[in-house]
Amino acid sequence: MRRVLLLSLIATGCITIADGQAKHPFTFEDMMALKRVEEPVPSPDGKWVLFAAVDVDLKANTKTPHVWVVPLGTDTHVSQKQGDMGHPSSDHSHTISDQTDSVVPHFSPVLREVGDGHEREIIADQDADRPRWAPDGKRFAFVSTKEGGSQIWIADFDGTRGIVTAKHRLTNIATEADSELWSPDGKNILFESDVHPECDGAPAEEDPCNARKLEEAKNSKVKAQIFTHLLYRHWNAYKEGKRTHLFRVPAPGPGDWGGPPIKSQGQPLVLPTSYWDLTPGDYDAPMFSLGGQDNYAFSPDGQEICYASNHDPEPAISTNNDLFIVPINGVTGVSPVQVAATPKNITADNKAADETPLYSPDGKYIAYRAQQRPGYESDRWRLMLYDRKTGAKSELTDGFDHWVENFVWALDSKTIYFSAEHEGHSLIYALDLSQGIDKTQRKYPKRVLVGGYNDDLAVTPNGKTLLFSRMSVSAPNEIYASATTGTGCPAMAGNVDPGKEDCSLNKDWPMTRMNDPVLSQVEASKIESFFFPDAKGESVEGFLVRPPNFDPSKKYPVKFIIHGGPEVPMGDEWSYRWNFELFAANGYVVVFINFHGSPGYGQKFIDAINGDWGGAPFEDLMKGLDYAEQHYAFIDKERECALGASYGGYMANWILGHTDRFKCIVSHDSAFNTESAWGTTEELWFNEWEFKGTPYTNREMYLKWSPHLFARNFKTPTLVVHSQLDYRLDVSEGFQLFTTLQRLGVPSKMLYFPDEGHWVLKPQNSQLWYKTVNDWVDQWVGK
């Protein structure tokens, strides 16, 4: 990477380069040039960290992952307190004082060199994603589509030089393979595949059966489908009668497999002739996930797996995901008469969600996340502990009023590190099991170790270092590290314990600087937060991003962004779909509010939106914008545009019928008619919880909060965006909204994507989306 001396003045948002080269506002092309860094995976010998990074080719309209490696000892900070481009890193502890509501300190300027990371691309000649180490550290598995669709591959790794010496394809399963995991004993590899449950049977027969069904469907002139239950489509795809199952395949070793040899990458390789389906049946096992921590795990001895699955009769109205355990051998008898072992449900007593199991390194426990209220996907995520010997279960985060997200065990099984939303950040906490429950508060001791917006936690083999990904408004994910030692800040309930705010967070530093060559040329905007009182006297947080080349003497128009979910937070985080830097870049102030319903402020704050979709959240949004107008003189309140997607699109539609304060509106993948949105969605539990029933059991609630019934008030020019493959909020919602606007004579335009789902993901589609949205705002608001 090119080395350039950089002075980053975070406090003012002003950045200059020593060689005199001028910086420019962030562009869409800059965003597409960034590498999208994924989770860190430390090697068993503690010398290396693997990670995948996605490259975008805008011209080819592709996104391709490749595998990279960085030495584990890398510490790229340079004798200053903080990293640049919004990524906090420290050479000393963060000090917290006079911060009763937030444990995230303000950051100082830094002088350092750009591109001084030691990361290196080690699989560049084919797509390669999700690297996972073999226990011996001499190989790692990864996913690639280079041959035969998505399959599992094995890379031989030279740990002395940190290079890949050979690559081989491991699987050749007709239904493709993904999301692999190497067993701790090194003997097996676990992976997911979407199969026809009617093909369940002997290992040697299941794959040929699925292959025949795939071929028949491909060659059939009839493309009709017959449904016998709900959830026949999900997010952006029809299920086509298939279920996700977990399979095991023997890990590579001499003489392990039969079958004819084939060649992969020019190297002879014997592929397995059968794969053992460990989770047969007409269930998704593991169940569907949008990402995050795996919903399955190996026991430390490699003899058992634990996975999450929903076995309720109607999963479309159920969040009752349970944890099951099954022996890794998974079958009894001798082929071809082999019968799948019966899985054991270890969380049957909880009718709400149980997910993300993870065995303790000593094998005594399984930690997992759980909710308590059935049917409510936004209930508080608690950290739970299952005793494998006694079957006893206990909650570890009783009294901790924030959602536990990603978590990882310490190597001595005495501590669990986890991330959790706190206001506009995602902090890393440590929960100490070794001391038992605190006698005073009757809870396990918890402390916050690391500030910032963090995720994807891992612990190095020696147990001394935490690895994690970090993002901010002004920079996408990079891999960071922090010491596991240190007192941190006591945080029994999520906030720093009252009276103990004068404490220090752990030192942290960047392991990678993948995107410095791009970001060093960009004048980054900064984020700032403000709190304001709502009608009930409660404190609500808002955020503001100023445009580049900001002049406080000028007036600036506003892009008012409304987040989706609705139980999804906004804060100091990066997004490629709704990027605040890009929205601000052409001369706008960006304002957004964490209204009632947003995580990071306690479960009561989240629950407040249930049955009140157009009530408190709307009031929060209007009062938050009022506050910003009154306290930031550079805001031009006569030139404001409201933009939102999903629930944010719903709220944009609600705003359309309840105020004329905005000069324009952008409504993306929205709910317009709450009754028809219920009838065309797939995850019915969501609508039925939020509106407290169905349209035929509680129609009054649906009608009370349906934007379409206030169409007589529509006046504001509106851009409607919707996609054909969006099955969370069907495209018909967008068509209804656009038809209504056109019939009313309201200036309107519709952007329709036939090949996208709830999110616009393809690079050239994204380019069109940003251009259309920004042009619409410019047309009605003006720069």
Side-chain angles (χ1 to χ4, degrees):
M1 296 182 178
R2 188 171 63 88
R3 300 170 69 87
V4 182
L5 191 62
L6 173 68
L7 177 63
S8 176
L9 299 178
I10 299 299
T12 64
C14 176
I15 307 175
T16 58
I17 299 179
D19 61 12
Q21 181 180 356
K23 287 178 173 289
H24 62 266
F26 193 56
T27 68
F28 181 83
E29 289 71 24
D30 289 328
M31 189 167 71
M32 293 297 102
L34 296 171
K35 295 184 183 298
R36 307 183 183 195
V37 176
E38 299 179 359
E39 69 276 4
V41 188
S43 64
D45 63 5
K47 295 180 179 179
W48 304 97
V49 178
L50 289 176
F51 63 96
V54 177
D55 294 314
V56 176
D57 187 327
L58 184 57
K59 184 176 181 180
N61 203 30
T62 58
K63 293 191 287 188
T64 307
H66 297 108
V67 174
W68 291 67
V69 71
V70 63
L72 191 51
T74 299
D75 181 343
T76 62
H77 69 291
V78 181
S79 299
Q80 295 287 335
K81 217 172 184 184
Q82 308 297 339
D84 73 313
M85 304 309 296
H87 275 328
S89 64
S90 65
D91 200 35
H92 306 287
S93 299
H94 299 310
T95 298
I96 303 174
S97 58
D98 302 322
Q99 297 185 61
T100 58
D101 293 320
S102 176
V103 297
V104 183
H106 296 288
F107 298 126
S108 307
V110 65
L111 181 66
R112 70 162 184 77
E113 292 181 332
V114 172
D116 55 3
H118 301 280
E119 59 272 2
R120 184 170 65 253
E121 191 172 25
I122 56 173
I123 299 182
D125 58 346
Q126 68 182 91
D127 67 302
D129 203 4
R130 194 186 155 97
R132 293 295 185 269
W133 289 103
D136 61 11
K138 297 178 180 179
R139 298 158 294 168
F140 62 85
F142 63 95
V143 178
S144 178
T145 61
K146 184 176 178 64
E147 300 173 1
S150 177
Q151 301 290 347
I152 309 303
W153 288 61
I154 304 297
D156 297 329
F157 184 76
D158 183 337
T160 302
R161 295 180 292 165
I163 62 171
V164 167
T165 57
K167 302 184 296 292
H168 314 281
R169 179 158 57 95
L170 173 65
T171 62
N172 190 34
I173 188 170
T175 48
E176 304 190 16
D178 200 356
S179 304
E180 86 295 356
L181 193 62
W182 213 305
S183 66
D185 62 3
K187 296 179 179 180
N188 294 284
I189 290 176
L190 195 67
F191 65 88
E192 292 182 6
S193 191
D194 291 341
V195 297
H196 292 275
E198 58 267 33
C199 287
D200 291 349
E205 299 172 357
E206 187 167 353
D207 191 40
C209 173
N210 279 290
R212 286 193 302 271
K213 284 189 168 292
L214 291 173
E215 191 65 19
E216 289 168 3
K218 177 181 177 182
N219 296 331
S220 176
K221 302 297 183 184
V222 178
K223 303 302 180 184
Q225 299 182 44
I226 297 175
F227 309 132
T228 58
H229 53 75
L230 294 178
L231 215 61
Y232 50 83
R233 64 179 188 175
H234 205 184
W235 280 94
N236 65 351
Y238 280 79
K239 300 286 288 183
E240 297 178 331
K242 290 184 285 189
R243 295 290 195 177
T244 301
H245 285 182
L246 283 170
F247 288 77
R248 78 167 175 90
V249 62
D256 281 347
W257 306 323
I262 70 163
K263 285 193 174 182
S264 175
Q265 299 280 78
Q267 299 293 322
L269 178 65
V270 178
L271 292 180
T273 57
S274 61
Y275 310 89
W276 280 261
D277 188 342
L278 299 179
T279 60
D282 194 12
Y283 312 105
D284 287 313
M287 79 286 177
F288 174 84
S289 173
L290 287 173
Q293 195 159 338
D294 287 344
N295 270 311
Y296 48 91
F298 273 106
S299 61
D301 61 6
Q303 299 304 302
E304 179 183 279
I305 63 168
C306 183
Y307 63 91
S309 181
N310 189 324
H311 287 198
D312 276 7
E314 189 46 79
I317 60 172
S318 168
T319 60
N320 187 23
N321 306 320
D322 280 317
L323 297 184
F324 296 82
I325 56 174
V326 68
I328 188 61
N329 290 325
V331 294
T332 58
V334 179
S335 183
V337 186
Q338 290 181 316
V339 180
T342 302
K344 178 183 178 182
N345 187 339
I346 63 173
T347 58
D349 55 330
N350 181 29
K351 302 305 178 183
D354 303 286
E355 298 183 7
T356 59
L358 197 61
Y359 289 82
S360 60
D362 62 12
K364 294 180 180 179
Y365 305 101
I366 298 175
Y368 61 99
R369 300 187 311 144
Q371 297 176 321
Q372 288 186 349
R373 287 178 279 182
Y376 186 22
E377 70 172 18
S378 296
D379 193 19
R380 181 167 67 87
W381 284 105
R382 299 153 172 83
L383 189 62
M384 305 292 294
L385 196 67
Y386 171 80
D387 188 315
R388 296 180 69 198
K389 183 177 181 180
T390 66
K393 293 182 285 291
S394 57
E395 182 183 343
L396 300 178
T397 50
D398 180 39
F400 185 84
D401 200 25
H402 297 272
W403 289 1
V404 173
E405 299 288 353
N406 192 269
F407 68 93
V408 64
W409 283 93
L411 273 297
D412 61 5
S413 299
K414 295 180 180 179
T415 303
I416 298 178
Y417 306 101
F418 64 90
S419 61
E421 300 282 351
H422 179 276
E423 297 178 357
H425 301 85
S426 179
L427 311 180
I428 298 177
Y429 296 80
L431 187 149
D432 191 348
L433 296 173
S434 63
Q435 299 180 29
I437 295 178
D438 181 273
K439 293 181 180 180
T440 303
Q441 301 196 37
R442 304 175 68 86
K443 301 177 180 68
Y444 285 98
K446 292 175 285 292
R447 52 202 162 91
V448 59
L449 293 183
V450 182
Y453 208 104
N454 312 296
D455 200 2
D456 302 320
L457 277 60
V459 177
T460 57
N462 64 9
K464 295 181 179 180
T465 305
L466 270 172
L467 300 172
F468 48 93
S469 62
R470 171 175 290 174
M471 66 172 76
S472 69
V473 155
S474 50
N477 267 351
E478 296 281 1
I479 294 174
Y480 272 66
S482 172
T484 57
T485 56
T487 57
C489 295
M492 297 293 282
N495 298 323
V496 174
D497 293 349
K500 299 181 180 180
E501 294 85 3
D502 189 12
C503 55
S504 297
L505 299 185
N506 282 12
K507 163 187 173 180
D508 57 66
W509 60 91
M511 292 282 294
T512 66
R513 295 189 182 279
M514 298 283 284
N515 291 304
D516 280 3
V518 174
L519 296 179
S520 64
Q521 308 302 311
V522 172
E523 183 175 349
S525 302
K526 71 170 185 174
I527 185 174
E528 51 195 283
S529 71
F530 56 89
F531 285 86
F532 61 92
D534 70 353
K536 302 174 184 178
E538 295 180 333
S539 182
V540 178
E541 187 174 20
F543 300 88
L544 181 143
V545 177
R546 305 182 189 213
N549 302 312
F550 175 74
D551 183 345
S553 67
K554 293 183 178 181
K555 291 279 190 178
Y556 291 92
V558 171
K559 290 176 180 173
F560 188 57
I561 311 298
I562 308 166
H563 73 67
E567 294 94 351
V568 173
M570 292 177 84
D572 194 13
E573 58 182 310
W574 183 269
S575 171
Y576 287 99
R577 300 190 306 273
W578 286 70
N579 188 275
F580 302 136
E581 289 285 332
L582 203 51
F583 282 140
N586 62 335
Y588 285 84
V589 171
V590 177
V591 178
F592 47 103
I593 307 295
N594 270 344
F595 47 81
H596 277 82
S598 306
Y601 306 88
Q603 191 62 40
K604 180 182 177 182
F605 195 85
I606 296 171
D607 294 345
I609 199 171
N610 303 156
D612 193 35
W613 269 34
F618 174 72
E619 191 170 357
D620 290 346
L621 288 163
M622 296 304 102
K623 287 185 176 296
L625 186 55
D626 290 343
Y627 181 93
E629 291 172 353
Q630 294 163 8
H631 290 80
Y632 297 95
F634 51 82
I635 285 180
D636 187 345
K637 65 181 181 179
E638 300 302 321
R639 294 190 296 157
E640 297 173 333
C641 188
L643 307 86
S646 195
Y647 173 85
Y650 162 89
M651 181 52 70
N653 299 341
W654 188 257
I655 285 171
L656 186 58
H658 288 81
T659 179
D660 296 331
R661 73 184 293 173
F662 296 99
K663 291 295 183 288
C664 67
I665 285 174
V666 176
S667 176
H668 176 112
D669 286 0
S670 68
F672 176 61
N673 180 332
T674 55
E675 288 188 299
S676 60
W678 172 86
T680 53
T681 193
E682 13 78 296
E683 293 181 353
L684 285 169
W685 67 74
F686 174 79
N687 303 61
E688 293 181 15
W689 179 278
E690 294 295 336
F691 294 99
K692 303 184 183 301
T694 68
Y696 52 83
T697 60
N698 191 11
R699 193 180 189 210
E700 294 78 10
M701 180 69 74
Y702 283 80
L703 296 181
K704 180 180 182 180
W705 301 121
S706 189
H708 86 286
L709 294 179
F710 299 88
R712 62 186 179 276
N713 301 326
F714 289 3
K715 295 178 183 178
T716 308
T718 300
L719 171 66
V720 181
V721 184
H722 224 111
S723 301
Q724 186 66 45
L725 305 181
D726 183 359
Y727 304 143
R728 289 293 298 114
L729 285 163
D730 191 81
V731 68
S732 59
E733 294 297 303
F735 290 151
Q736 289 183 70
L737 172 59
F738 182 62
T739 297
T740 301
L741 292 164
Q742 288 283 300
R743 288 290 289 118
L744 290 171
V746 176
S748 51
K749 179 188 290 188
M750 183 164 186
L751 174 59
Y752 165 74
F753 291 101
D755 56 347
E756 296 283 6
H758 199 58
W759 305 298
V760 176
L761 300 177
K762 297 180 179 179
Q764 291 182 13
N765 283 347
S766 178
Q767 185 177 39
L768 175 62
W769 186 91
Y770 274 104
K771 184 180 187 312
T772 305
V773 168
N774 284 329
D775 284 353
W776 182 259
V777 179
D778 287 346
Q779 176 183 343
W780 297 101
V781 173
K783 295 183 180 179

